[in-house]
Amino acid sequence: MAGRKKKNNFLLSFLTLIILAAGLLVQISTSFTVIMSDTGVPSPLIDVPQTGFSITKNGSRTHPDEQAAVYDIMRATGNDWATDIPDVCRGRWHGIECMPDKDNVFHVVSLSFGALSDDTAFPTCDPTRSFISSSVTKLPHLRTLFFYRCLGQNPQPVPAFLGLLGQTLQTLVLRDNGHVGPIPMQVANLTKLRVLDLHGNNLNGSVPAQLNRITGLRSLDLSGNRLTGSIPELSSPVLNVLDLNQNHLTGSIPDSIGSLSALKKLDLSRNRMSGSIPASMNGLTNLVLLDLSYNHLSGPMMLKGLVSLEALILKGNPMGSTLQGFKGMKDLMILVLSDMDLIGPIPGSLTKLANLRVVHLDGNQLNGSIPEKLKELNHLSELRLNDNCLTGMVPFGRDLVWRMRRKLKLHNNNGLCYDPDSGFQDNLGALLDSGIGYCSTGSSSSRTVQHASNFYGWFPSSSTGSSHKPTTSSLTLRRILAYACSTLLLLLTST
């Protein structure tokens, strides 16, 4: 098996939850329905099939003031062709949505710009001269405003006049636009917002504490900016997504985050947060993803009761504590605790997480043996235990090793060895790379590590003090010879 290779890279990613449509545009139905606003007051717009007005013969038309506003907005993004369309709602290009009122006059409720993928056909922007026109404030029924990669070569602040859309706007996405400057305080006037996404700009300043006024906010994504200061007290009762990763935020994680009971995704990674993880976060029973990696968090890791958690990523925080917790995390699939200065043994509680698929515990100071029950985790497909102080026999057999192959990383644990009868030797090539040899029994009752490289004599022993280092080609040849010798020896001993 030593000459057989297969590229099989695991992509660990968690897609950012952006709720662009849910609850924002009303569902299409075959009959006319009066739309209720969030306050329970009927909306002046009527829910009708979106394709109906494009072929209607009953004199429906777009409101003239809104049509003029759309022309301005399209010209501002370099889409001058739109001015040739006699009726923008009946023209029906992707990126504009309209709805009628009781008098059969259509109003613009959604505008989207930018090529998300090959499958989308939103109008693209001229990046050299595009800007957001103030004419958007002349669309009194606008619910969704979406700009993606539109202003990259003409960076400008997030317009303060967007705050004038507070009575209707429910989704504001200004993603990867190159916006500069602080988040304007006027954004807090958008009290009907459910989605605010300002990801991937060059915004600086702090996270406005006034965002607490948007009580119906469900998704807040300010990631990929240069925001500074601490995280303000947040109390939105329906917030599902809080993503502040890749900023320059400092201070501790506020206790108030524990009151965001509806949270499903919390990502504060790649900031400069310090202090300990607040105990209040243990009350986030709906949390699915928790990523606090690459901060300066310290203290004991006392997470428990996160019964819905599927991914826990704390990599790169100098916790300096023992590995503990996991109580109640029956759904946990991804556990990434690399480079955290963790000490002590791998706890047996880890082996009770039956749904684990990815476990990274590398780059710590863990000691003791590898729990034998880890091999009973049937879904485990990636395990990193390298660069620790683990000792004893590797408890894995042929099937598990073959399933994980190069995703099983055990190197730089000088006390580890393997049982020649376990079938582990079928992957001797990987073992030689890890420096792990077989366990042999000496005159005493304890097992000792006999490294394959030294046993077969093909590599210089580190104990000789020799400074000679074999070349890549000779190293490869010696590994092949070592594998051949091991196989021959096993055949001879089995007959």
Side-chain angles (χ1 to χ4, degrees):
M1 304 296 178
R4 183 178 180 184
K5 294 183 179 179
K6 182 179 180 181
K7 293 181 181 178
N8 188 13
N9 297 324
F10 181 82
L11 177 63
L12 176 61
S13 65
F14 297 98
L15 302 176
T16 304
L17 177 61
I18 304 176
I19 313 169
L20 296 177
L24 307 181
L25 294 175
V26 296
Q27 296 180 350
I28 297 173
S29 64
T30 57
S31 61
F32 283 58
T33 306
V34 176
I35 304 168
M36 301 298 290
S37 70
D38 290 340
T39 60
V41 179
S43 166
L45 304 186
I46 298 173
D47 184 13
V48 298
Q50 288 292 312
T51 57
F53 62 85
S54 63
I55 57 174
T56 184
K57 297 180 180 180
N58 58 6
S60 64
R61 65 195 185 281
T62 301
H63 192 286
D65 293 341
E66 294 183 41
Q67 171 136 323
V70 171
Y71 285 160
D72 289 343
I73 297 164
M74 294 294 280
R75 278 192 292 261
T77 56
N79 292 288
D80 301 78
W81 52 265
T83 57
D84 294 330
I85 299 175
D87 191 304
V88 294
C89 284
R90 294 180 67 180
R92 294 299 297 140
W93 73 75
H94 291 290
I96 185 170
E97 296 289 341
C98 302
M99 296 179 65
D101 59 21
K102 60 183 177 58
D103 297 321
N104 212 23
V105 175
F106 280 86
H107 302 274
V108 178
V109 297
S110 176
L111 283 176
S112 299
F113 296 89
L116 280 174
S117 68
D118 294 338
D119 298 327
T120 58
F122 296 157
T124 57
C125 304
D126 182 344
T128 63
R129 63 184 182 93
S130 291
F131 63 96
I132 300 176
S133 171
S134 60
S135 290
V136 297
T137 61
K138 299 176 182 178
L139 302 175
H141 303 279
L142 191 65
R143 301 178 183 180
T144 298
L145 187 61
F146 185 102
F147 281 82
Y148 176 67
R149 292 186 177 178
C150 280
L151 319 175
Q153 297 179 38
N154 187 29
Q156 53 201 268
V158 174
F161 58 71
L162 293 178
L164 298 175
L165 297 170
Q167 294 302 310
T168 60
L169 198 65
Q170 298 179 7
T171 296
L172 177 60
V173 177
L174 307 177
R175 192 173 179 88
D176 291 333
N177 277 316
H179 287 292
V180 295
I183 300 172
M185 296 300 176
Q186 290 82 351
V187 170
N189 294 333
L190 301 174
T191 54
K192 295 293 192 298
L193 270 187
R194 299 181 185 178
V195 175
L196 177 58
D197 186 343
L198 304 179
H199 163 85
N201 292 291
N202 289 302
L203 298 172
N204 55 27
S206 60
V207 179
Q210 291 86 344
L211 292 178
N212 252 337
R213 292 166 51 189
I214 311 176
T215 56
L217 196 62
R218 295 178 181 176
S219 179
L220 176 60
D221 188 343
L222 306 179
S223 61
N225 285 287
R226 295 182 296 156
L227 299 173
T228 56
S230 58
I231 299 175
E233 300 286 321
L234 298 173
S235 59
S236 177
V238 294
L239 192 65
N240 294 142
V241 175
L242 177 58
D243 193 341
L244 303 177
N245 85 81
Q246 295 189 49
N247 279 288
H248 305 308
L249 298 173
T250 56
S252 59
I253 300 173
D255 286 336
S256 61
I257 283 185
S259 67
L260 304 177
S261 57
L263 266 187
K264 294 183 178 180
K265 174 184 176 180
L266 175 60
D267 191 345
L268 307 179
S269 63
R270 298 182 185 276
N271 279 287
R272 301 168 184 176
M273 312 289 296
S274 59
S276 59
I277 300 174
S280 63
M281 286 178 55
N282 289 320
L284 300 178
T285 56
N286 292 303
L287 198 63
V288 174
L289 167 65
L290 175 60
D291 190 347
L292 306 177
S293 59
Y294 296 109
N295 278 285
H296 304 299
L297 301 174
S298 59
M301 189 177 65
M302 300 295 291
L303 291 173
K304 58 182 179 179
L306 302 178
V307 295
S308 300
L309 200 65
E310 295 181 10
L312 175 60
I313 307 171
L314 302 178
K315 180 178 183 178
N317 286 290
M319 290 290 185
S321 61
T322 56
L323 187 59
Q324 55 185 317
F326 315 118
K327 183 179 180 181
M329 299 184 190
K330 55 182 176 53
D331 295 327
L332 195 65
M333 292 188 290
I334 298 172
L335 179 64
V336 180
L337 306 178
S338 310
D339 304 315
M340 294 178 60
D341 294 332
L342 296 174
I343 58 176
I346 300 173
S349 58
L350 193 66
T351 65
K352 298 179 181 179
L353 305 178
N355 291 307
L356 276 178
R357 286 163 170 76
V358 175
V359 176
H360 292 182
L361 301 177
D362 52 296
N364 289 294
Q365 302 176 43
L366 300 173
N367 55 30
S369 59
I370 300 174
E372 186 172 355
K373 288 191 175 182
L374 272 180
K375 66 182 180 182
E376 298 177 8
L377 297 178
N378 297 326
H379 300 294
L380 195 62
S381 60
E382 183 170 339
L383 178 62
R384 296 184 186 179
L385 300 176
N386 54 285
D387 297 290
N388 278 289
C389 306
L390 300 172
T391 58
M393 185 173 66
V394 176
F396 309 135
R398 178 188 295 109
D399 293 342
L400 185 143
V401 175
W402 179 251
R403 184 172 75 236
M404 285 194 279
R405 299 191 186 183
R406 295 290 176 177
K407 293 181 180 180
L408 174 62
K409 297 184 182 298
L410 302 173
H411 57 275
N412 291 339
N413 285 285
N414 292 331
L416 288 180
C417 60
Y418 76 95
D419 184 350
D421 298 327
S422 66
F424 215 118
Q425 68 280 354
D426 289 349
N427 284 269
L428 188 61
L431 288 174
L432 290 176
D433 288 342
S434 301
I436 298 176
Y438 69 87
C439 302
S440 62
T441 304
S443 56
S444 64
S445 59
S446 62
R447 289 184 179 269
T448 59
V449 178
Q450 177 66 50
H451 285 278
S453 57
N454 297 333
F455 176 79
Y456 295 118
W458 300 110
F459 301 105
S461 171
S462 59
S463 61
T464 62
S466 172
S467 61
H468 173 69
K469 185 176 181 180
T471 64
T472 301
S473 59
S474 65
L475 187 62
T476 301
L477 177 60
R478 291 174 183 183
R479 287 174 178 171
I480 294 173
L481 291 172
Y483 176 71
C485 289
S486 68
T487 303
L488 178 60
L489 180 61
L490 289 169
L491 289 173
L492 289 175
T493 57
S494 63
T495 57

